Amino acid sequence: MPENPDSPPQGKAMNNTLGIIGSGNIGGAVARLAVNAGIDVVLSNSRGPETLRALTDHLGPRARAATPAEAAAAGDWTVIAVPFSAVPHLPAHALAGKTVIDTNNYYRLRDGVIAELETGSLTAGQLFQRYVPGARTVKTFNTIYFEHLISLARPAGSPDRSALPVAGDDDAAKKSVTALLDRLGYDTADAGTTAESWRIQDGSPAYVLPYLADPRLPFFRDPGKPAGTKEIHTALEQAHNRP
Ligand SMILES: NC(=O)c1ccc[n+]([C@@H]2O[C@H](COP(=O)([O-])OP(=O)(O)OC[C@H]3O[C@@H](n4cnc5c(N)ncnc54)[C@H](OP(=O)(O)O)[C@@H]3O)[C@@H](O)[C@H]2O)c1
């Protein structure tokens, strides 16, 4: 039976806890959407639960802070939103067997040069996977600026609902993350396997651009614009140049 069924058997509760490792811009934005959707969140960072007090107070009673290993253990899904350089320090033992959402991007200036990613012999998602053996990883949220992630969320069926690309190797985990995203306010577009996730890395047509109202503006000043499933599929098909 899948670990995170989106339609639980009768008598079983729906998955309702999201663990978050890395509670900055993107982790905090996902936490906000989750709390708004009635999902409990367990947030963590590198400095300890006490440093997340202001954020959990702001998010309200569905939010609490813990250590990264505790957040991983508590979550029906665990979102990882740390700088890529912190990925080797994740609590791999606590993530084994879990559905793990990889939001991370590699930027050489921030993360230092990683040879496999520079040559393209591995995707960032494949390298991530190596650090969390046994986890069922799904890559998403990495293609959207965190403020747009909040402002573009819409209820299911809204005509201006946006889609996020989702890549991964485990179909049940992908399905579970798709159900989670639906609750958070997003449709999804299948971006293939982890090996194919170069199509959603920095510089690809599906990366950030579809959600910008005016690409001439610095993206952090851009108000954002909805981009639906069809537009994201088109952007994925336009990704021809593997780095
Ligand atoms: N910003 C965006 O709009 C955006 C959008 C999509 C994807 N992303 C990607 O998401 C990831 C996070 O970006 P961000 O902008 O959210 O970064 P951020 O605001 O700097 O937050 C990073 C978080 O990671 C935590 N962290 C660092 N090392 C850790 C460790 N070893 N264990 C546990 N937590 C650790 C930090 O906690 P401490 O402060 O306690 O160290 C902080 O809470 C990056 O890979 C980024 O490329 C970002």
Side-chain angles (χ1 to χ4, degrees):
M1 194 180 73
E3 179 202 16
N4 292 323
D6 50 316
S7 309
Q10 221 175 359
K12 276 211 155 190
M14 193 192 264
N15 288 327
N16 220 43
T17 303
L18 186 64
I20 300 182
I21 300 180
S23 303
N25 293 326
I26 201 77
V30 175
R32 168 48 65 199
L33 294 182
V35 163
N36 289 352
I39 296 170
D40 295 329
V41 297
V42 182
L43 294 138
S44 65
N45 64 5
S46 74
R47 286 168 295 141
E50 61 287 354
T51 65
L52 290 166
R53 181 75 185 271
L55 181 58
T56 53
D57 284 353
H58 182 66
L59 289 167
R62 285 203 177 275
R64 69 181 172 92
T67 65
E70 288 165 350
D76 296 305
W77 317 262
T78 306
V79 168
I80 311 293
V82 299
F84 209 93
S85 52
V87 169
H89 310 295
L90 292 172
H93 57 286
L95 293 166
K98 293 270 182 180
T99 296
V100 169
I101 301 175
D102 167 13
T103 73
N104 306 288
N105 291 303
Y106 163 64
Y107 300 121
R108 70 181 69 85
L109 286 179
R110 181 191 65 188
D111 301 316
V113 172
I114 301 177
E116 300 94 318
L117 303 185
E118 292 291 329
T119 60
S121 66
L122 289 178
T123 63
Q126 286 174 305
L127 185 57
F128 177 87
Q129 246 174 4
R130 291 189 176 186
Y131 288 109
V132 288
R136 307 188 308 168
T137 66
V138 179
K139 193 168 188 74
T140 191
F141 293 126
N142 69 302
T143 61
I144 188 166
Y145 178 53
F146 75 101
E147 289 186 0
H148 297 159
L149 182 66
I150 298 272
S151 64
L152 295 176
R154 300 283 186 278
S158 303
D160 61 346
R161 205 182 206 213
S162 294
L164 296 175
V166 171
D169 301 333
D170 183 305
D171 286 343
K174 245 174 159 173
K175 198 174 163 205
S176 172
V177 171
T178 296
L180 171 66
L181 290 178
D182 186 46
R183 292 173 71 187
L184 299 188
Y186 284 87
D187 293 330
T188 49
D190 191 344
T193 64
T194 310
E196 291 166 327
S197 64
W198 59 269
R199 297 194 301 160
I200 58 172
Q201 289 184 176
D202 180 21
S204 68
Y207 186 84
V208 178
L209 289 173
Y211 311 100
L212 299 183
D214 182 352
R216 291 168 304 181
L217 291 174
F219 67 89
F220 50 86
R221 282 210 204 114
D222 191 291
K225 80 151 182 60
T229 310
K230 201 170 160 203
E231 183 175 348
I232 300 303
H233 274 301
T234 302
L236 291 170
E237 282 157 18
Q238 286 168 347
H240 295 306
N241 300 319
R242 185 181 172 142

